[in-house]
Amino acid sequence: LKEATKKRDAHRVKVMEWKDFVPTLNKKNVCLVPWCNTVECETQIKERSKKESEKKKGELKKGELSGKAKSLCIPFANQKDPLPKGCKCFACDKKAKVWCLFGR
């Protein structure tokens, strides 16, 4: 269990801005992001990450992933770590409500 936890934690990256989101996903990571928690925003994240991923497909290094992102869960443990004051959603600039894990 310790080894699995260590491996999982090594691939969980806190991302605060969209510009870092897709490159972090491409490296087989899941992203912990400040999110507004709306369906509309999640739909935009899926489409936007898919388009960016398709543009970069020829540039990916061996082993890197491509494709659209999706919300995985809102981890209970991270909700104890409050969002910074005035924190905006990493994708749409609305007020962030939760930390959320996104991945592929």
Side-chain angles (χ1 to χ4, degrees), residues 22-69:
V22 174
T24 302
L25 288 174
N26 289 349
K27 295 176 182 165
K28 297 184 178 180
N29 294 306
V30 294
C31 298
L32 181 66
V33 297
W35 185 43
C36 64
N37 199 17
T38 66
V39 173
E40 298 81 20
C41 185
E42 183 172 14
T43 301
Q44 289 176 350
I45 291 166
K46 288 177 181 179
E47 291 308 310
R48 194 170 159 193
S49 61
K50 179 181 176 185
K51 286 178 186 174
E52 284 189 29
S53 182
E54 287 172 351
K55 284 184 204 174
K56 303 267 184 189
K57 215 169 199 170
E59 301 171 22
L60 294 176
K61 296 176 184 162
K62 186 178 178 180
E64 289 187 333
L65 299 176
S66 64
K68 64 181 168 183

Side-chain angles (χ1 to χ4, degrees), residues 9 18 20 23 25 35 39 45 51 58 60 62-63 65 71-72 76 78 80 82 87 90 94 97-100 102-103:
D9 291 346
W18 180 266
D20 302 319
L25 288 174
W35 185 43
V39 173
I45 291 166
K51 286 178 186 174
L60 294 176
K62 186 178 178 180
L65 299 176
S71 63
L72 301 175
F76 180 72
N78 288 94
K80 295 176 187 173
C87 188
F90 81 106
K94 291 180 187 171
K97 295 180 182 174
V98 296
W99 289 107
C100 185
F102 276 81

